[in-house]
Amino acid sequence: MKIALIGYGKMGQTIEKLAKDLGHEVVLTIDRDNQKDFTARNLRKADVAIEFSQPESALENILTCFHAKIPVVSGTTGWGDQLTNAKNICDDNEGTLLH
């Protein structure tokens, strides 16, 4: 599986190691230093995005994945007040979200 990692802190680095150990490929890694690479074109290189960022950027990151038609798994906490909005947008865009 080809994975895009959004958020490359401790958890993102752990996911990368585990994914590679299981034979998966990380094709895109996004953190605050390379936001310019967080594009639909780059996301489409992946089969799935795994999002472990900050609460204030989680929804925007997830929406970017929806618009690129990439399923997203979000492990970010602290943004639950926006989850209903994310679910509605997910449904409207026929997206996939696991939180």
Side-chain angles (χ1 to χ4, degrees), residues 39-41 43-44 63-70:
T39 65
R41 182 178 182 168
L43 279 169
R44 288 187 190 112
L63 297 181
T64 300
C65 293
F66 289 165
H67 293 300
K69 303 294 187 200
I70 299 299

Side-chain angles (χ1 to χ4, degrees), residues 31-45:
D31 66 16
R32 63 179 69 128
D33 296 328
N34 68 335
Q35 288 292 306
K36 66 180 177 10
D37 296 331
F38 191 30
T39 65
R41 182 178 182 168
N42 285 337
L43 279 169
R44 288 187 190 112
K45 297 173 186 175

Side-chain angles (χ1 to χ4, degrees), residues 59-78:
L59 181 61
E60 182 178 335
N61 293 339
I62 292 166
L63 297 181
T64 300
C65 293
F66 289 165
H67 293 300
K69 303 294 187 200
I70 299 299
V72 59
V73 175
S74 177
T76 302
T77 60

